[in-house]
Amino acid sequence: QIDQILIHQQLELLEIVTGFEENNKYELKNALGQRVYFAAEDTDCLTRNCCGPARPFTMRIVDNLGHEVITLHRPLRCSSCCCPCCLQEV
């Protein structure tokens, strides 16, 4: 039973030094700080560095045994408030 999930992004040394975006990776922990899931972004280098935070991505979340429990897809969308029919969605 999990009553709380804490999400911790793993920092990549190469990203810190060069400023180039890497695939984001996250540890999802319970209230005791134990890792219960791991999430990893799947995008290519060009998309990450050209589209920035508005980029499309696939995020795979796996349990501690490596079994995929959920996959999230975010398509490329406009982030302009002038076009409300194309706002971000996951």
Side-chain angles (χ1 to χ4, degrees):
Q1 294 181 351
I2 300 173
D3 61 348
Q4 181 179 15
I5 292 181
L6 305 170
I7 301 172
H8 298 274
Q9 182 175 0
Q10 294 182 338
L11 300 177
E12 298 290 334
L13 184 59
L14 184 63
E15 185 175 345
I16 294 168
V17 172
T18 65
F20 285 104
E21 282 281 332
E22 294 286 317
N23 279 326
N24 290 319
K25 297 178 183 137
Y26 304 90
E27 287 187 323
L28 288 75
K29 299 180 179 185
N30 63 15
L32 300 174
Q34 301 165 322
R35 186 172 108 172
V36 290
Y37 298 110
F38 179 77
E41 174 186 359
D42 182 18
T43 56
D44 61 76
C45 182
L46 183 64
T47 301
R48 282 191 309 274
N49 290 289
C50 290
C51 298
R55 67 183 173 263
F57 64 80
T58 298
M59 181 80 62
R60 300 188 194 302
I61 302 175
V62 298
D63 64 15
N64 286 327
L65 299 175
H67 299 119
E68 192 169 312
V69 293
I70 192 169
T71 300
L72 306 172
H73 297 284
R74 184 172 85 174
L76 180 60
R77 295 292 178 124
C78 175
S79 60
S80 170
C81 62
C82 298
C83 187
C85 61
C86 295
L87 297 178
Q88 294 291 341
E89 65 180 32
V90 175

